[in-house]
């Protein structure tokens, strides 16, 4: 996987795409398989031969210095990169055995199964109710008013927001605080009942208390969903993630059980990064 | 060694003087602009307001046998030069429609002749001393007075100044604007949506974009020539009609609507689009459910301003024949019609002194409509501007 010799000589390099060390508590059913993924923005290569297996009902954290390609990689998983005209992608991203970049794959169908939460809370400029009910209604998951109400309540409960907003469902979503808005965005994502939720630095715009709430929420949500989160905050990765992948210059340097990675990293670069020597 | 505080203040003095000077220069520029506006409004109002007053005369109408063939016979000969020709002209018709009038006598307020009206408004007229004296006497007796000129708003154009009204032009304008809006709004908005949300950024779209921006700067009379060549000569749309006028003005309004719609679409934050794509919206759903509702106030403002601009336009309409004498209110989109600015243009060319106030009055009506349209645009923007 990497030319560099692992620090811990007794440890064998793992199979392609597999973590160095298995996390015994985590589920190991395959959710997303990535092989030799390359991505260019125009002429600049941003992702360089990535191989990684992402497991179901886990939290996987992607860490690394700015510009290392972790957000770009995340957006490959629901084809949000399609929106950027200059992007060129090669390689395989496979979900449930199906290539997401195949011409037959509809990105709208893909995004129904792979939800996304963005860095800055971006609720629709509609009511709280509409924020959650819009997408399920659009996808014909629900149609009758009663079904919608039921689904909205469930999604908001799962996002831990119900008690705070149940009396003001028809107020604008943007009237909430930043942390509440982000939980509303999570409720919006889980309302369409996806398999995977991508989170692109979901707490970087939030205060510490809201951050803690979201982290607790991720812990609960992984019972139902596969969560892949990008974070700049290494403590956060250590707290919430089962597995962590360390990105550097468009490559995955190390993919490992989070506890092992933060105590005894397999690679020198990883150790340098998490001990704060650069990044 | 740094400068002392006094030295620094010394240097600063010149700079402060400069900014003070600049401030006064800009203030006087503003004052000049305001003064011009004020003079313009004062002049227009002083010339145009009399158009909303009209001299009326109280006369006795005798529905005699003679009058049924010659309307002049119904009124006192002394009065016949003082009342509008239009009054006596309709008397035989009235009697034919209502035979019971024969033999009766009525006292009625009727339109005075344009010269009486002008004399009472203090303008120079061609009346002899005897007639003037008679008018003065009638005013004293309370038989001639100025009344609100409701006819100005309820009648079409006429060669008799006391009879000329702006209604046919107002109706013509409304019909033309309906055509313009019905064509320019959907085409303009959809063009902008395509260019902004769907089109790839390549040479072709850049070329289209440059050309749209150039279209907005083309002299409007060229659009008239285009309308004449294509709509009238090629497609055979009836000339002088609200249809051809509206189509021509739609061409002129399109670039304005496209440009303002694109600006409004661009001001919708990218994060909203990402959120919508993220929950699995198709491109059209993103536009329809999220981007367009947010951009709507901006689109409406731009469209209203484009429409107001089209409403004040005369040059292209001259070419397609909409500057015409239209005494009757137009009833269909394919009949000949005129519009407000064209009506003003027509009146401005009338030799009769009485049409000067009609011209200014027409401008006042046109301006009132334009200002209320612009105010509506501002209100709409204010109302929907809250970003929630």
């Amino acid at each position: 996987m990497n030319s560099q010799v692992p620090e811990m000589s007794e440890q064998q390099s793992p199979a392609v795409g597999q973590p160095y060390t298995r996390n015994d508590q985590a589920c190991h059913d395959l959710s997303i398989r990535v092989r030799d993924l390359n991505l260019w923005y125009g002429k600049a290569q941003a992702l360089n031969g990535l191989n990684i297996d992402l497991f179901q009902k886990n939290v996987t954290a992607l860490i690394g210095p700015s510009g290392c390609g972790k957000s770009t990689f995340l957006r490959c998983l629901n084809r949000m990169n399609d929106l950027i005209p200059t992007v060129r992608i090669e390689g395989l991203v496979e979900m449930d055995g199906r290539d997401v970049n195949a011409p037959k794959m509809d990105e709208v169908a893909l995004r129904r199964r792979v939800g996304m939460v963005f860095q800055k809370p971006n609720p629709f400029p509609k009511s709280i109710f509409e924020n959650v009910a819009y997408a399920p209604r659009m996808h014909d998951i629900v149609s009758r008013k009663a079904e919608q109400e039921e689904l909205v309540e469930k999604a908001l409960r799962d996002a831990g927001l119900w008690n705070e907003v149940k009396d003001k469902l028809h107020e604008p979503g943007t009237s909430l605080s930043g942390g509440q808005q982000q939980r509303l965005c999570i409720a919006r994502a889980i309302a369409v009942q996806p398999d995977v939720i991508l989170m692109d630095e979901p707490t970087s715009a939030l205060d510490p208390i809201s951050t803690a709430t979201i982290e607790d929420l991720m812990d609960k949500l992984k019972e139902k969903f596969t969560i892949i989160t990008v974070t700049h905050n290494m403590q956060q990765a250590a707290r919430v993630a089962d597995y962590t992948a360390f990105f550097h210059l468009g490559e995955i340097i190390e993919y490992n059980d989070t506890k092992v990675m933060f105590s005894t990293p397999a690679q020198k670069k990883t150790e340098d990064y998490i001990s704060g020597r650069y990044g | 060694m740094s400068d002392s505080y006094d030295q620094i203040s010394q240097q600063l003095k010149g700079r402060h003087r400069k900014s003070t000077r600049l401030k006064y220069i800009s203030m006087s520029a503003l004052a000049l602009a305001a003064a011009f506006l004020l003079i313009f409004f004062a002049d227009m109002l002083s010339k145009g307001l009399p158009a909303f007053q009209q001299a009326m005369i109280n006369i006795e109408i005798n529905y005699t046998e003679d009058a049924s063939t010659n309307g002049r016979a119904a009124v006192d000969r002394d009065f016949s030069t003082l009342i509008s020709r239009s009054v006596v002209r309709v008397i035989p018709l009235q009697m034919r429609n209502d035979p019971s009038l024969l033999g009766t006598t009525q006292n009625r307020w009727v339109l005075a002749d344009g010269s009486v009206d002008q004399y009472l408004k203090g303008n120079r007229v061609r009346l002899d001393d005897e007639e003037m004296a008679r008018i003065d006497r009638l005013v004293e007796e309370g038989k001639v007075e100025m009344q609100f000129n409701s006819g100005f708003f309820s009648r079409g154009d006429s060669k008799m100044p006391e009879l000329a009204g702006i209604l046919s032009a107002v109706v013509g304008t409304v019909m033309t604007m309906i055509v313009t809006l019905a064509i320019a709004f959907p085409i303009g908005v959809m063009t902008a949506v395509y260019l902004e949300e769907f089109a790839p950024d390549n040479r072709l779209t850049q070329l289209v974009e440059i050309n749209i921006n150039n279209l907005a700067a083309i002299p409007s009379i060229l659009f008239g020539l285009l309308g004449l060549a294509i709509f009238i000569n090629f497609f055979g749309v009836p000339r002088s009609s609200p249809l051809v006028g509206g189509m021509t003005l739609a061409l002129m309004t399109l670039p304005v609507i496209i440009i303002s719609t694109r600006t409004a679409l661009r001001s919708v934050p990218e994060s909203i689009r990402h959120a919508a794509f993220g929950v699995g919206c198709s491109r059209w759903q993103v536009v329809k459910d999220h981007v367009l509702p947010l951009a709507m106030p901006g689109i409406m403002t731009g469209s209203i301003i484009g429409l107001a601009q089209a409403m004040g336009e005369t040059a292209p309409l001259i070419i397609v024949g909409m500057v015409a004498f239209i005494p009757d209110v137009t009833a269909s989109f394919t009949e000949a019609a005129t519009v407000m600015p064209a009506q003003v243009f027509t009146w401005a060319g009338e030799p009769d002194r009485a049409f000067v106030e009609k011209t200014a009055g027409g401008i006042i009506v046109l301006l009132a409509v334009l200002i209320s349209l612009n105010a509506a645009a501002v209100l709409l923007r204010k109302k929907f501007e809250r970003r929630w």
Side-chain angles (χ1 to χ4, degrees):
Chain A
M1 188 167 168
N2 197 287
S3 56
Q4 207 166 341
V5 183
E7 278 252 302
M8 291 159 37
S9 50
E10 72 269 25
Q11 190 175 340
Q12 290 298 304
S13 266
V16 170
Q18 291 290 308
Y20 277 77
T21 315
R22 287 260 173 168
N23 179 333
D24 296 332
Q25 282 123 47
C27 168
H28 289 104
D29 295 333
L30 190 65
S31 175
I32 296 172
R33 198 162 75 98
V34 177
R35 289 294 177 270
D36 297 319
L37 181 66
N38 292 293
L39 181 145
W40 291 263
Y41 289 120
K43 290 210 171 66
Q45 187 161 9
L47 297 180
N48 202 341
L50 302 190
N51 292 295
I52 190 167
D53 286 353
L54 298 162
F55 301 122
Q56 277 178 20
K57 305 199 171 156
N58 276 332
V59 177
T60 305
L62 313 178
I63 62 169
S66 297
C68 66
K70 51 196 190 307
S71 289
T72 302
F73 171 66
L74 195 74
R75 286 200 303 269
C76 286
L77 303 180
N78 68 344
R79 285 183 49 184
M80 283 297 265
N81 283 326
D82 288 13
L83 301 179
I84 306 164
T86 57
V87 158
R88 191 160 60 85
I89 298 172
E90 279 176 10
L92 180 72
V93 177
E94 204 176 69
M95 214 187 127
D96 299 338
R98 292 172 68 170
D99 181 3
V100 306
N101 290 314
K104 263 198 297 183
M105 174 63 89
D106 188 339
E107 75 269 20
V108 171
L110 175 69
R111 289 181 197 137
R112 225 207 95 174
R113 304 201 46 205
V114 185
M116 189 158 193
V117 176
F118 296 84
Q119 182 171 2
K120 246 184 78 197
N122 57 352
F124 295 132
K126 302 175 191 288
S127 70
I128 294 170
F129 183 90
E130 268 302 297
N131 259 285
V132 182
Y134 170 77
R137 206 171 52 221
M138 182 183 72
H139 292 302
D140 279 330
I141 298 171
V142 290
S143 54
R144 280 187 296 114
K145 192 79 185 158
E147 288 175 341
Q148 288 185 33
E149 278 164 8
E150 194 183 327
L151 183 89
V152 167
E153 176 173 347
K154 189 171 172 301
L156 286 171
R157 274 190 198 283
D158 285 348
L161 194 61
W162 177 250
N163 286 330
E164 292 155 70
V165 300
K166 63 182 172 194
D167 298 323
K168 50 175 184 177
L169 288 175
H170 295 283
E171 284 178 28
T174 42
S175 67
L176 300 170
S177 74
Q180 288 174 324
Q181 284 187 24
Q182 194 62 300
R183 276 180 286 151
L184 180 61
C185 292
I186 292 174
R188 178 176 70 189
I190 63 187
V192 294
Q193 296 150 12
D195 302 319
V196 181
I197 300 176
L198 309 177
M199 298 190 176
D200 192 356
E201 299 180 43
T203 61
S204 66
L206 304 182
D207 62 274
I209 294 171
S210 306
T211 301
T213 318
I214 302 260
E215 284 177 10
D216 289 346
L217 187 58
M218 287 161 81
D219 217 38
K220 279 197 209 90
L221 289 176
K222 74 175 184 184
E223 289 167 16
K224 292 181 188 168
F225 306 101
T226 305
I227 297 176
I228 300 158
T229 177
V230 166
T231 179
H232 268 299
N233 179 334
M234 275 172 289
Q235 284 77 34
Q236 183 172 69
R239 282 192 297 265
V240 301
D242 300 294
Y243 283 104
T244 300
F246 170 57
F247 280 65
H248 182 61
L249 297 176
E251 291 177 28
I252 296 175
I253 304 297
E254 182 173 342
Y255 177 38
N256 210 338
D257 176 2
T258 303
K259 283 193 209 69
V260 178
M261 169 123 61
F262 281 94
S263 53
T264 48
Q267 298 284 342
K268 178 81 169 65
K269 269 187 194 160
T270 319
E271 192 187 348
D272 287 351
Y273 179 69
I274 59 186
S275 59
R277 236 164 279 172
Y278 71 89
Chain B
M1 180 70 196
S2 62
D3 291 345
S4 74
Y5 182 75
D6 285 342
Q7 279 172 311
I8 295 172
S9 318
Q10 204 61 42
Q11 292 166 357
L12 274 179
K13 240 178 220 165
R15 278 155 61 184
H16 284 315
R17 255 205 310 278
K18 226 176 207 167
S19 52
T20 315
R21 209 156 48 217
L22 202 67
K23 189 179 91 181
Y24 284 120
I25 289 173
S26 1
M27 273 166 66
S28 39
L30 179 69
L32 201 65
F36 277 130
L37 197 67
L38 214 65
I39 291 170
F40 168 64
F41 271 110
D43 180 53
M44 191 184 65
L45 287 175
S46 68
K47 284 218 177 77
L49 282 181
F52 302 119
Q53 295 271 308
Q54 171 69 45
M56 300 292 276
I57 188 161
N58 192 315
I59 54 162
E60 200 169 72
I61 302 176
N62 301 308
Y63 293 102
T64 58
E65 195 76 50
D66 284 350
S68 65
T69 49
N70 176 15
R72 270 172 187 277
V75 293
D76 194 330
R77 252 170 34 112
D78 286 350
F79 286 103
S80 62
T81 52
L82 299 185
I83 63 174
S84 173
R85 276 184 291 144
S86 65
V87 176
V88 289
R89 198 189 278 168
V90 296
I91 287 176
L93 186 67
Q94 276 178 335
M95 294 180 68
R96 220 172 306 141
N97 289 343
D98 185 3
S100 66
L101 283 172
L102 187 66
T104 61
T105 301
Q106 286 184 2
N107 267 319
R108 289 234 317 267
W109 283 100
V110 296
L111 273 178
D113 188 70
S115 55
V116 178
D117 183 58
Q118 289 303 302
Y119 171 68
L120 289 174
K121 283 168 183 164
N123 294 327
R124 231 152 43 87
V125 284
R126 290 202 317 205
L127 289 171
D128 55 37
D129 291 346
E130 196 194 328
E131 282 171 318
M132 289 187 199
R134 199 184 309 144
I135 294 168
D136 290 338
R137 206 169 52 247
L138 284 168
V139 171
E140 270 169 40
E141 290 170 12
K143 293 208 159 175
V144 168
E145 64 179 40
M146 302 301 283
Q147 293 182 2
F148 178 69
N149 187 4
S150 58
F152 188 65
F153 300 101
S154 63
R155 278 193 293 260
D157 198 7
S158 168
K159 290 293 169 198
M160 288 176 263
E162 70 273 17
L163 210 61
I166 202 166
L167 183 67
S168 63
V170 171
V171 172
T173 291
V174 169
M175 291 170 91
T176 307
M177 287 302 116
I178 289 173
V179 174
T180 302
L181 194 66
I183 294 173
F185 186 77
I187 296 182
V189 171
M190 293 325 284
T191 305
V193 164
Y194 174 73
L195 285 175
E196 208 50 42
E197 305 286 332
F198 290 90
D201 186 23
N202 57 24
R203 281 279 167 79
L204 186 71
T205 50
Q206 280 167 11
L207 196 74
V208 170
E209 195 176 329
I210 291 171
N211 278 309
I212 288 172
N213 290 340
N214 283 341
L215 272 183
I218 279 183
S220 58
I221 196 149
L222 292 185
F223 287 105
L225 285 171
L226 188 70
L228 176 67
I230 293 182
F231 298 141
I232 297 181
N233 290 347
F234 188 74
F235 287 111
V237 181
R239 55 176 291 131
S240 304
S241 64
L243 188 63
V244 75
M247 285 160 89
T248 307
L249 291 180
L251 289 181
M252 215 192 77
T253 315
L254 259 178
V256 181
I257 293 185
I258 293 174
I259 290 169
S260 61
T261 303
R262 294 190 68 181
T263 315
L265 291 174
R266 232 173 285 162
S267 72
V268 173
E270 203 58 25
S271 66
I272 298 291
R273 290 188 185 84
H274 284 162
F277 279 121
V279 297
C281 287
S282 65
R283 228 167 234 282
W284 172 237
Q285 283 169 326
V286 173
V287 172
K288 173 176 69 94
D289 293 343
H290 302 287
V291 178
L292 270 184
L294 277 178
M296 222 10 126
I299 296 174
M300 305 253 262
T301 313
S303 306
I304 291 174
I305 286 172
L307 211 61
Q309 205 180 323
M311 191 182 269
E313 200 56 67
T314 333
L317 298 181
I318 295 177
I319 307 280
V320 296
M322 277 196 90
V323 181
F325 175 70
I326 309 291
D328 296 316
V329 171
T330 311
S332 99
F333 284 101
T334 47
E335 272 174 35
T338 191
V339 292
M340 282 193 273
Q343 183 67 77
V344 169
F345 178 75
T346 311
W347 281 340
E350 293 281 347
D352 194 327
R353 178 75 178 70
F355 278 105
V356 172
E357 63 175 45
K358 298 283 173 195
T359 308
I363 292 173
I364 292 174
V365 174
L366 179 59
L367 269 185
V369 174
L370 289 181
I371 289 173
S372 21
L373 265 184
N374 282 338
V378 172
L379 283 180
L380 266 177
R381 192 171 47 209
K382 281 269 175 292
K383 185 158 184 288
F384 293 105
E385 206 169 36
R386 60 202 171 110
R387 285 240 175 274
W388 58 280

